[in-house]
């Protein structure tokens, strides 16, 4: 389900983001419009995305997601409406890549967390996903790639 996880260092990047605290059931109706708003705000300032869209989750419960959805930017971003200047996180992380439909992400994270525990890695409470390729690049979910990142402690 996931590629072999590895430990790496991710560089933090300036980003344009929208912070969302939503019911899990709202993700499919909220995420797309938020991405559209971020990309429109970036373009309106004459900037370009400097990487794929990401979601940085601060807290995940059985009922809710609390996260930033954003895109790294090619230059300084000035807040515009609900889109704020932020950051795609960086630091020492465990990373893997999930291939497939977004509906499989929950299982991919479960597999990844199992690997982290088996390897004895202490992790921070947050995580982030980078949507390296998805429906915007190919309608076939088998070609979609989502990078899973879990910050490590110590």
């Amino acid at each position: 389900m996931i590629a072999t996880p590895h430990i790496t260092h991710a560089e933090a990047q300036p980003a344009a983001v929208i912070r969302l605290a939503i019911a899990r059931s709202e993700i499919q109706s909220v995420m797309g419009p938020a991405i559209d708003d971020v990309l429109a705000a970036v373009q309106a300032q004459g900037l370009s995305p400097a990487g794929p869209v990401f979601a940085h989750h601060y807290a995940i419960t059985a009922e809710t997601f609390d996260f930033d959805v954003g895109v790294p930017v090619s230059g300084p971003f000035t807040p515009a409406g609900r889109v704020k200047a932020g950051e795609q996180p960086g630091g020492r992380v465990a990373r893997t890549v999930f291939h497939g439909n977004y509906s499989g992400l929950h299982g991919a994270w479960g597999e990844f967390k199992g690997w982290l525990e088996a390897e004895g890695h202490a992790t921070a409470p947050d995580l982030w996903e980078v949507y390296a390729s998805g429906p915007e690049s190919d309608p076939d979910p088998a070609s979609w790639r989502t990078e899973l990142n879990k910050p490590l402690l110590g």
Side-chain angles (χ1 to χ4, degrees):
M1 186 175 233
I2 61 173
T4 303
H6 63 281
I7 308 303
T8 190
H9 180 81
E11 290 296 327
Q13 299 178 55
V17 302
I18 293 176
R19 181 78 177 254
L20 299 167
I22 61 170
R24 288 176 77 115
S25 62
E26 296 177 10
I27 193 75
Q28 290 183 337
S29 63
V30 172
M31 186 93 162
I35 292 168
D36 291 344
D37 287 354
V38 167
L39 294 173
V42 168
Q43 183 179 30
Q45 293 188 25
L47 300 172
S48 300
V53 171
F54 68 93
H56 179 200
H57 290 265
Y58 301 102
I60 298 174
T61 70
E63 298 83 27
T64 63
F65 289 122
D66 178 8
F67 67 106
D68 286 340
V69 61
V71 65
V73 290
S74 60
F77 181 79
T78 303
R82 69 180 188 146
V83 185
K84 309 296 182 205
E87 182 176 84
Q88 181 175 325
R92 187 170 172 259
V93 299
R95 177 178 291 161
T96 188
V97 176
F98 167 67
H99 293 262
N101 195 307
Y102 299 140
S103 63
L105 281 169
H106 180 76
W109 275 108
E111 184 180 346
F112 189 28
K113 287 179 182 177
W115 178 86
L116 288 162
E117 290 170 9
E119 295 293 316
H121 293 292
T123 61
D126 64 325
L127 59 86
W128 74 91
E129 300 171 339
V130 176
Y131 307 105
S133 62
E136 75 290 341
S137 57
D138 189 332
D140 179 7
S143 72
W144 300 358
R145 291 182 306 116
T146 305
E147 181 183 279
L148 311 181
N149 294 278
K150 187 69 175 148
L152 299 177
L153 300 174

